Amino acid sequence: MSKRYFTIGMAGHIDHGKTSLTKALTNVDTDRLKEEKERQISIELGFAPLYEDEEIQISVIDVPGHERFIRQMIAGVAGIDLVVLVVAADEGVMPQTREHLDILGFLGIKAGIIAITKIDRVEEEFIDLVKDDILSELKGTVFEDSPFMMVDSLSSKGIEELKNLIIEKLKQQEFRDSRGAFRLPVDQVFTVKGQGTVVRGTVYEGKVEEGQFLKVMPKGIEVRARQLQVHHQPSQAAFAGQRAAINLSGVSREDIERGDVLVSSEHFIVTRTIDVAIRVVEDLEHLVKQRTPIKCHIGTAEVMGRIVFFDRNDVKDDSDEILCQLRLDEEIVTKRGDRFIIRRPSPQETIGGGWVIDPRGNKYRFGEKTIAELEKKKVGTPSERVAAALYEAKSLTLAELIKRTALDEGTLISTLKSDEFLHFSGKEYTLKKLAEAIEDDITDRLEDYHRIHPLRQGLNKAELIQGLEKSFPRNLLDFVIENGIKNKIFSRKEQYVKAAGFTPHVPKNWEKRIENLIAELRKDGLKVRYLDDYIKSTGIPDNLSIELKRFLEEQGIIMPLDNQYYWHKVNFDDAVSKLKECTSAEFEVGDAKQAVDLSRKYMIPFLEKLDSLGLTKRVENKRIWRI
């Protein structure tokens, strides 16, 4: 089973002990900034490794609790797998506790643990009151059935039990798939002396490898992942669910900012208009009117914009999901299903949150017809849901598709019969268009390779797959190659793959020189010079001599005796025939020298070549013909 990577978050009101609890669990003080030390509050996101074994690796994000730092809080919580909601025993539920609860619900985070901290400061009876207070606040939220843990960070009471509960819950939880395109919303940017620009964030999906070329979106800046770190340790790769720091080449510190997204694919959509489904908080203080200015927090981005309704002119108290649109002032990178929070910029308050139905929103008319169209988009047809899942993961089994699409098996099997989908390897499904795109990509790669290396048989299959494996699963690549061979788009000889119409050949500007080389080798018979000498005399560069030798040998024009002497193949065949005629079933070196007038420097390699080709067998000082 693949190793799984999780990130958990500490959330709660200011001064309720999130940072102290993180330190008690991890032995890491996540308050790094001088200002944080002086004011004793967290301003930036804090990170620490919590636990690792052969199965899982867990990181902790300590998010700020103060209302002024709500942006950092949202940036930290987006993309985590489990929340520890921290409530101090001596204060109970506070305003930021409630706001954090709302935000966590809107972001779709369902796994939670309630940690009541500072239990040594109060009497045991008071803790029961705090617990009742929390239960009443959690009623009707996704956290109402979450387990409670009583802890004290200073005395370490309950710390080990809390840690074990976190590990246990995460081991039971589904994990993010590292297949598909890489995406990391940037939440921190800084420079390291001698290294350059470094970004940090949680890998939302896919994986990134050291040396991989990426893009900073929505700016479109091409960069390379020069170095990777996970928990301050160098790493060759980072996977979905991990916190990663990536040293980038090709970009300066000033060109990248929190809210940008690092991606490996062109397929992520850059947009300013998104169709969304939202819910609003229960106790909105102010009416939200048509085109009300909002701040949209999506991933790690914070973008100003306006909310546009199509079936109402305002909202204040509505528990139902509202289909509407966000028109943003700046471009963002998003996809269907991404979660977001919307807040009022002034006076500041959380309005609500929801998920992206369609990142490619258009302008629509006000009225029920638009709502009906948005409803259709929201649900999505079975075919659209399957296509979206396969587009993201590239290939999935039936069981994986059932989980991802929430379709029943009968509907799914019926949907997969469409020509839009391909069934391969007996159990996997993919998109026909995706397979065709991979086939086109392979064709382009092979044609480029043939143009650069016309003498070679083709591209080694392992090398071909290695160049594509960062974007597509191995089993899908194998299928496309084998299917291409079957359909005579590609052909294969041993481990080499080539375009079907390609034949290894001498470049036109070399033709005359190679003809002269072959003619001279034929004329010199069996008493030849080193082949490198012949090649040098033609004026062909030294760095291409190995490739030329391989080509002439594969074409059956020359025969190597060793790595220095080569005979023309016709001369070699003549020598074999003459030796066979002039010797008996078994012979010695002396017999061979009499039959073929050769010195020892040619004769010994010649006889050893006969052995390696299986024409003769050496037994002590004699050789026995096998043909």
Side-chain angles (χ1 to χ4, degrees), residues 131-198:
K131 189 174 178 180
D132 289 341
D133 184 25
I134 296 170
L135 282 171
S136 67
E137 289 290 339
L138 294 178
K139 196 168 183 180
T141 74
V142 292
F143 300 101
E144 64 179 333
D145 295 322
S146 297
F148 279 75
M149 294 297 296
M150 310 298 172
V151 298
D152 190 276
S153 301
L154 295 179
S155 65
S156 295
K157 283 182 184 175
I159 295 298
E160 199 60 32
E161 291 81 356
L162 173 58
K163 186 173 182 178
N164 290 335
L165 180 59
I166 292 169
I167 295 166
E168 179 188 341
K169 284 183 75 71
L170 288 175
K171 283 192 173 182
Q172 295 169 358
Q173 192 167 315
E174 289 187 13
F175 63 102
R176 304 184 201 193
D177 199 333
S178 291
R179 290 186 293 181
F182 164 76
R183 178 165 58 145
L184 180 144
V186 174
D187 56 44
Q188 290 180 337
V189 189
F190 51 94
T191 56
V192 175
K193 191 174 182 180
Q195 298 295 319
T197 305
V198 177

Side-chain angles (χ1 to χ4, degrees), residues 97-279:
T97 313
R98 297 186 183 96
E99 186 166 24
H100 283 203
L101 268 172
D102 285 335
I103 289 169
L104 295 171
F106 292 139
L107 291 175
I109 297 165
K110 297 175 182 176
I113 296 171
I114 314 303
I116 298 180
T117 58
K118 306 183 182 182
I119 58 172
D120 282 359
R121 293 191 182 185
V122 298
E123 299 296 325
E124 193 170 332
E125 295 79 13
F126 192 77
I127 293 175
D128 290 334
L129 293 175
V130 172
K131 189 174 178 180
D132 289 341
D133 184 25
I134 296 170
L135 282 171
S136 67
E137 289 290 339
L138 294 178
K139 196 168 183 180
T141 74
V142 292
F143 300 101
E144 64 179 333
D145 295 322
S146 297
F148 279 75
M149 294 297 296
M150 310 298 172
V151 298
D152 190 276
S153 301
L154 295 179
S155 65
S156 295
K157 283 182 184 175
I159 295 298
E160 199 60 32
E161 291 81 356
L162 173 58
K163 186 173 182 178
N164 290 335
L165 180 59
I166 292 169
I167 295 166
E168 179 188 341
K169 284 183 75 71
L170 288 175
K171 283 192 173 182
Q172 295 169 358
Q173 192 167 315
E174 289 187 13
F175 63 102
R176 304 184 201 193
D177 199 333
S178 291
R179 290 186 293 181
F182 164 76
R183 178 165 58 145
L184 180 144
V186 174
D187 56 44
Q188 290 180 337
V189 189
F190 51 94
T191 56
V192 175
K193 191 174 182 180
Q195 298 295 319
T197 305
V198 177
V199 300
R200 186 183 281 139
T202 300
V203 182
Y204 269 31
E205 55 193 317
K207 71 173 181 178
V208 61
E209 295 179 335
E210 194 172 272
Q212 188 172 346
F213 286 94
L214 304 166
K215 271 196 172 182
V216 178
M217 301 297 285
K219 297 179 174 75
I221 303 170
E222 294 187 358
V223 296
R224 187 172 69 88
R226 182 189 291 158
Q227 293 176 318
L228 301 177
Q229 280 195 358
V230 176
H231 294 323
H232 304 288
Q233 297 299 317
S235 180
Q236 293 295 311
F239 301 86
Q242 283 189 309
R243 291 289 306 173
I246 306 177
N247 177 207
L248 299 176
S249 62
V251 66
S252 68
R253 166 68 184 84
E254 292 72 29
D255 292 333
I256 189 168
E257 59 190 328
R258 184 194 308 228
D260 287 337
V261 184
L262 207 55
V263 301
S264 65
S265 169
E266 300 282 351
H267 302 312
F268 288 105
I269 295 165
V270 175
T271 181
R272 289 187 182 186
T273 305
I274 54 176
D275 297 338
V276 298
I278 68 166
R279 292 183 187 277

Side-chain angles (χ1 to χ4, degrees), residues 522 524-528 559 561 566-583 587 591-598 602-603 605-607 609-610 613 615-616 625 627:
R522 175 84 168 92
D524 287 350
L526 305 182
K527 296 176 182 179
V528 295
M559 174 65 76
L561 301 185
Y566 288 72
W567 286 348
H568 193 289
K569 184 65 165 56
V570 173
N571 295 341
F572 176 83
D573 291 341
D574 289 346
V576 174
S577 298
K578 188 174 182 181
L579 183 61
K580 186 78 169 64
E581 288 173 9
C582 299
T583 56
F587 63 93
D591 301 327
K593 290 182 74 174
Q594 283 186 346
V596 183
D597 182 21
L598 283 176
Y602 297 116
M603 181 56 71
F606 174 47
L607 294 177
K609 189 67 178 181
L610 296 180
L613 292 172
L615 300 175
T616 58
W625 285 104
I627 56 171

Side-chain angles (χ1 to χ4, degrees), residues 348-394:
Q348 291 190 12
E349 69 169 331
T350 297
I351 294 171
W355 61 282
V356 177
I357 296 172
D358 186 352
R360 300 182 185 89
N362 291 311
K363 288 191 175 181
Y364 313 121
R365 290 180 180 275
F366 187 93
E368 288 303 318
K369 186 176 179 182
T370 294
I371 295 297
E373 288 301 316
L374 290 177
E375 190 66 47
K376 284 181 187 176
K377 278 191 184 184
K378 175 189 161 187
V379 175
T381 66
S383 182
E384 287 170 344
R385 285 154 76 175
V386 172
L390 290 174
Y391 186 78
E392 182 178 351
K394 314 307 181 196

Side-chain angles (χ1 to χ4, degrees), residues 313-473:
N313 288 311
D314 57 58
V315 62
K316 186 163 193 306
D317 184 17
D318 195 328
S319 60
D320 294 331
E321 198 170 51
I322 301 168
L323 302 182
C324 57
Q325 191 175 79
L326 300 183
R327 296 181 186 171
L328 306 173
D329 296 347
E330 299 173 43
E331 291 182 327
I332 60 166
V333 176
T334 189
K335 61 190 287 191
R336 177 180 168 88
D338 280 358
R339 295 276 179 164
F340 62 87
I341 302 295
I342 51 175
R343 303 191 80 235
R344 189 191 304 274
S346 180
Q348 291 190 12
E349 69 169 331
T350 297
I351 294 171
W355 61 282
V356 177
I357 296 172
D358 186 352
R360 300 182 185 89
N362 291 311
K363 288 191 175 181
Y364 313 121
R365 290 180 180 275
F366 187 93
E368 288 303 318
K369 186 176 179 182
T370 294
I371 295 297
E373 288 301 316
L374 290 177
E375 190 66 47
K376 284 181 187 176
K377 278 191 184 184
K378 175 189 161 187
V379 175
T381 66
S383 182
E384 287 170 344
R385 285 154 76 175
V386 172
L390 290 174
Y391 186 78
E392 182 178 351
K394 314 307 181 196
S395 72
L396 293 167
T397 64
L398 187 67
E400 289 169 335
L401 277 167
I402 289 171
K403 284 183 182 179
R404 285 185 177 241
T405 63
L407 294 171
D408 63 85
E409 188 171 347
T411 302
L412 187 55
I413 290 171
S414 176
T415 302
L416 288 167
K417 289 178 181 177
S418 165
D419 290 342
E420 186 181 356
F421 309 109
L422 280 177
H423 188 209
F424 69 97
S425 301
K427 61 177 183 177
E428 297 273 340
Y429 291 88
T430 191
L431 287 166
K432 185 178 181 181
K433 283 185 179 179
L434 182 60
E436 289 171 351
I438 296 171
E439 188 178 271
D440 289 343
D441 192 349
I442 291 173
T443 300
D444 290 343
R445 286 169 184 257
L446 290 176
E447 287 176 354
D448 287 345
Y449 189 84
H450 296 329
R451 188 180 65 256
I452 298 166
H453 305 289
L455 296 171
R456 297 184 185 177
Q457 288 284 343
L459 180 57
N460 190 302
K461 183 183 175 184
E463 188 180 340
L464 174 61
I465 285 178
Q466 186 179 23
L468 292 160
E469 215 169 0
K470 290 175 183 176
S471 303
F472 306 103

